[in-house]
């Protein structure tokens, strides 16, 4: 139904001659519905439309004979721009790199940690289980580590001891990449957010990565805002993009946290990790 | 200055924001705002009543044959395994003899995860044997539950995106096995929905309803900031009862669904 709406919008806009104020409003209203249907956050859509309205009123479009075409192009370009324009690579040094994965419950952190280990296999990665709470969490990561064939540190009762043991092991064992998988936590859980903040301050990861479920709706901004303010997000990984969710959350998260989206998860297997391409996701959001 | 002309109603923008921010979606929000415009009384109360009505779909517990079989399904990470643990505890403290089965033969440590829950609540669990597929585990589980005269069998399944045809087929195979050995459908097929899900939740409900005829919904993670309003278009379109809500990660964080409490929370 989203594709339908965009096609209708396209036909309508492409039929326009010079854009009147009414046509601009109608167009913005249609775009608003399209973006909301794609799970872009309410407030983010509002901001986006404001800046798009400026572009639609611009001289370039006003004086064009085919303003409709320019509107479509402008919309697509604005989304690509908001998403970061180009893919962003993790800047991993040849020395020692620490990545910490965090996020809400069930978003795909543990699976993603293993995928990252596989992706950066040549860095001799060390997977570290730092979820002492979820039943069999450490075992889950251990089995994944066996499949990827990388080193693994099981969780101890407290995550700070676990991290200390892991870093000592990594130095001795020449692991150039240490991946910390943490427990799922709510951004409104004061105690667990404090724990994560302390973890970050003690361990000093090169990259603090928020893992978000690609099917998330309006709540995406709450996650992004809280984790960014309380912890600080260096990068985002959006999972479960192999489904048919539009992925508007990508736009919301980037808009609120300004952090680059580095990867998307596209399945449950260890090689189901893909670079995030703003242009591809822009097309997906637009249906 | 206020950005006008883009809302369904410039005067009801605050109410519109509440509905859209709760993941109720544009279609239903537009419809509700239109009806709101025509109503001359307290518009907020009017909306609350409308939403409560949509969500008030009666849930009647079924029983076909012993043991009562409850199948738990849903997309990856929605909270199925945890919810099976919570349901087992809930039925147990309500004087049922419960047994659980792990039919997730795919994901790493899925069986161990459920086994730990079974130990927590001192409940028997049927585990998959090496090389068994999910349908074989279900067959064993029902046989075992029948032999031991259990009241309720809860079956945990692997997470699956509704877009994966072969995984939906696997569920159908599980249900065929249940039908065969139980001589009836399972009493319940609960779809587990994550409260944070966006519009894709509707698609999930649609596919699971059309393909495997789910009987009810359990919404999890309502202890977060997500309102779970996706339940409203789902209830509106598919008339599925919402049976329980998951509001935390502990064994007793499962409560029966109340439309009034749920709608009240949306407007807070
Ligand atoms: N289809 C699909 N499934 C995924 C993807 N990433 C993870 N999953 C699945 O999502 C479910 C949850 O993944 P986990 O890695 O356990 O999630 P988590 O964030 O570690 O969960 P908690 O530790 O409980 O917070 C599992 O069934 C994974 O196989 C993805 O990109 N696509
Ligand atoms: N806060 C909160 N967390 C929950 C709730 N229900 C489940 N969880 C958490 O969500 C995460 C995923 O739960 P699981 O039970 O493993 O989900 P699942 O659907 O079985 O996942 P897969 O089998 O991998 O598809 C775990 O960390 C649970 O503790 C809930 O109601 N509230
Ligand atoms: Mg995990
Ligand atoms: Mg599970």
């Amino acid at each position: 139904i989203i594709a339908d709406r965009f096609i209708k919008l396209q036909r309508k806009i492409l039929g326009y001659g010079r854009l009147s104020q009414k046509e601009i409003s109608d167009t913005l209203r249609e775009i608003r519905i399209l973006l909301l249907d794609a799970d872009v956050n309410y407030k983010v859509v509002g901001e986006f439309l404001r800046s798009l309205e400026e572009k639609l009123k611009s001289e370039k479009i006003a004086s064009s004979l085919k303003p409709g075409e320019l509107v479509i192009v402008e919309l697509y370009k604005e989304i690509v721009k908001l998403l970061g324009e180009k893919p962003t690579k993790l800047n991993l040094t040849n020395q020692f790199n620490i990545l910490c994965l965090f996020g809400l419950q069930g978003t795909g952190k543990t699976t993603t940690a293993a995928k990252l280990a596989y992706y950066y296999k040549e860095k001799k990665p060390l997977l570290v289980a730092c979820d002492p709470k979820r039943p069999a969490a450490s075992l889950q990561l251990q089995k994944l580590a066996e499949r990827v064939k990388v080193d693994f540190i099981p969780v101890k009762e407290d995550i700070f001891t676990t991290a200390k043991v892991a870093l000592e092991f990594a130095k001795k064992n020449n692991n150039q990449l240490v991946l910390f998988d943490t427990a799922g936590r709510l951004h409104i859980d004061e105690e667990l957010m404090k724990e994560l903040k302390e973890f970050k301050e003690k361990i000093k990861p090169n990259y603090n990565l928020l893992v978000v479920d690609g099917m998330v709706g309006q709540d995406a901004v709450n996650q992004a805002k809280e984790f960014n303010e309380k912890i600080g997000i260096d990068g985002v990984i959006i999972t479960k993009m192999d489904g048919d969710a539009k992925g508007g959350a990508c736009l919301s998260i980037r808009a609120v946290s300004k952090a680059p989206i580095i990867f998307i998860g596209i399945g449950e297997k260890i090689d189901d990790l893909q670079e995030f391409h703003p242009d591809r996701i822009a097309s997906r959001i637009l249906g | 200055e206020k950005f006008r002309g883009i809302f369904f109603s410039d005067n009801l923008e605050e109410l519109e924001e509440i509905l859209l921010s709760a993941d109720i979606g544009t279609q239903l929000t537009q419809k509700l705002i239109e009806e709101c415009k025509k109503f001359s009384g307290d518009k907020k109360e009017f909306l609350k009543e409308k939403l409560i009505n949509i969500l008030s779909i009666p849930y009647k517990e079924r029983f076909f044959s012993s043991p009562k079989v409850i199948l738990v399904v849903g997309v990856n990470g929605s909270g199925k395994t945890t919810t099976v643990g919570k349901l087992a505890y809930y039925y147990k403290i309500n004087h049922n003899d419960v047994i659980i089965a792990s039919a997730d033969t795919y994901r790493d440590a899925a069986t161990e995860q459920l086994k730990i829950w079974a130990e927590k609540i001192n409940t028997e669990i049927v585990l998959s044997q090496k090389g068994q597929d999910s349908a074989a585990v279900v067959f064993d589980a029902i046989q075992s539950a029948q032999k031991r005269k259990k009241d309720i069998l809860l079956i945990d399944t692997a997470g699956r995106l509704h877009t994966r045809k072969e995984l939906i087929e696997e569920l159908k195979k599980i249900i065929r096995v249940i039908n065969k050995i139980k001589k009836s459908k399972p009493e319940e097929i609960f779809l587990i929905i994550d409260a944070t899900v966006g519009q894709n939740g509707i698609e999930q409900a649609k596919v699971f309803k059309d393909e495997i005829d789910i009987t009810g919904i359990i919404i999890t993670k309502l202890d977060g900031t997500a309102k779970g309003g996706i339940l409203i278009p789902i209830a509106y379109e598919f008339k599925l009862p919402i049976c329980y809500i998951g509001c935390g990660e502990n064994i007793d964080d499962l409560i029966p669904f109340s439309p009034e409490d749920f709608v009240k929370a949306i407007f807070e």
Side-chain angles (χ1 to χ4, degrees), chain B residues 4-219:
Chain B
R4 304 205 137 257
I6 59 167
F7 305 109
F8 297 133
S9 159
D10 281 336
N11 299 327
L12 300 176
E13 200 236 308
E14 283 182 28
L15 289 179
E16 183 172 319
E17 174 167 3
I18 292 174
L19 298 178
L20 291 171
S21 300
D23 289 306
I24 288 175
T26 59
Q27 266 197 330
L28 201 49
T29 296
Q30 185 164 14
K31 179 174 185 304
L32 291 167
I33 293 291
E34 283 304 319
E35 296 183 19
C36 235
K37 280 187 195 159
K38 304 196 196 113
F39 185 74
S40 51
D42 184 335
K43 299 199 190 284
K44 195 183 250 188
E45 286 311 310
F46 172 78
L47 270 184
K48 281 185 183 172
E49 279 306 307
K50 280 256 152 211
L51 295 180
I52 289 172
N53 279 333
I54 292 173
L55 293 168
S56 298
I57 296 167
Y59 166 52
K60 209 163 144 289
E61 295 210 15
R62 272 168 281 265
F63 178 76
F64 302 137
S65 63
S66 211
K68 176 162 154 159
V69 173
I70 299 174
L71 189 64
V72 170
V73 305
V75 302
N76 306 76
S78 56
K80 298 175 292 300
T81 305
T82 308
T83 302
V84 166
K86 292 175 181 177
L87 282 169
Y89 178 69
Y90 181 85
Y91 292 134
K92 192 162 194 253
I93 58 179
N94 282 300
H95 315 299
N96 293 290
D97 196 2
V98 181
I99 186 168
I100 57 187
S102 170
D104 181 348
T105 52
Y106 173 72
R107 213 207 67 214
D108 293 300
T111 301
E112 287 85 344
Q113 181 187 7
L114 191 60
K115 188 157 177 279
I116 291 172
W117 279 109
E119 286 162 8
K120 273 198 217 198
I121 58 179
N122 196 12
T123 294
E124 290 179 59
I125 178 167
V126 176
L127 302 168
S128 53
Q129 306 302 320
K130 198 151 189 4
Q132 268 193 327
D133 73 352
S134 53
V137 181
V138 170
F139 183 87
D140 282 357
I142 298 182
Q143 269 202 329
S144 193
Q146 283 171 337
K147 200 189 283 138
R148 284 133 112 170
K149 309 232 186 293
K150 296 289 185 180
D151 298 318
I152 299 180
L153 165 64
L154 284 156
I155 304 175
D156 183 22
T157 62
R160 69 203 67 223
L161 292 185
H162 50 289
T163 46
R164 295 280 301 274
K165 290 215 164 291
E166 78 284 14
L167 297 181
I168 298 294
E169 284 307 311
E170 180 198 41
L171 270 185
K172 290 185 184 174
K173 181 173 179 205
I174 286 176
I175 294 169
R176 281 198 297 276
V177 166
I178 295 174
N179 293 346
K180 195 157 193 284
I181 184 171
K182 194 169 145 61
K183 309 270 187 284
S184 80
K185 297 190 297 185
E187 273 79 4
E188 300 289 353
I189 303 180
F190 286 137
L191 173 64
I192 311 301
I193 294 206
D194 187 323
T196 64
V197 77
Q199 297 308 298
N200 198 247
I202 299 176
E203 201 52 33
Q204 292 174 26
K206 178 171 197 307
V207 172
F208 277 97
K209 172 127 201 353
D210 290 347
E211 296 295 319
I212 67 160
D213 200 18
I214 52 178
T215 60
I217 290 180
I218 298 178
I219 182 160

Side-chain angles (χ1 to χ4, degrees), chain A residues 1 5 25-26 28-29 32-33 36-39 41-43 45-46 49-50 53 104-107 111 133-136 139-141 143-144 147 184-188 192 213 215-219 222-223 240-246 268-269, chain B residues 1-8 13-14 16-17 20-23 25-27 30 75-78 106-109 112-114 116-117 120 159-164 167 194-201 203-204 221 223-227 249:
Chain A
I1 50 170
R5 178 175 290 286
S25 288
D26 286 353
L28 289 176
R29 202 174 309 122
R32 176 177 185 252
I33 291 175
L36 288 170
D37 285 346
D39 287 322
N41 178 265
Y42 181 91
K43 289 218 162 61
V45 171
L49 291 178
R50 243 185 240 273
E53 184 185 40
L104 265 65
Q105 291 87 350
T107 56
T111 312
K133 200 175 51 165
R134 167 177 157 148
L139 181 64
Q140 181 189 5
L141 189 60
K143 293 198 174 180
L144 284 162
R147 187 144 355 101
R185 71 200 64 217
L186 293 177
H187 46 292
I188 52 172
L192 286 183
D213 188 321
M215 307 180 286
V216 70
Q218 297 290 309
D219 195 55
N222 298 328
Q223 298 179 25
K240 308 179 200 172
M241 290 295 272
D242 43 316
D244 54 1
K246 288 288 167 182
E268 299 189 71
K269 304 201 290 302
Chain B
E1 26 73 27
K2 203 147 178 265
F3 194 7
R4 304 205 137 257
I6 59 167
F7 305 109
F8 297 133
E13 200 236 308
E14 283 182 28
E16 183 172 319
E17 174 167 3
L20 291 171
S21 300
D23 289 306
T26 59
Q27 266 197 330
Q30 185 164 14
V75 302
N76 306 76
S78 56
Y106 173 72
R107 213 207 67 214
D108 293 300
E112 287 85 344
Q113 181 187 7
L114 191 60
I116 291 172
W117 279 109
K120 273 198 217 198
R160 69 203 67 223
L161 292 185
H162 50 289
T163 46
R164 295 280 301 274
L167 297 181
D194 187 323
T196 64
V197 77
Q199 297 308 298
N200 198 247
E203 201 52 33
Q204 292 174 26
K221 309 180 196 172
D223 46 318
T225 50
K227 303 286 184 180
E249 302 188 75

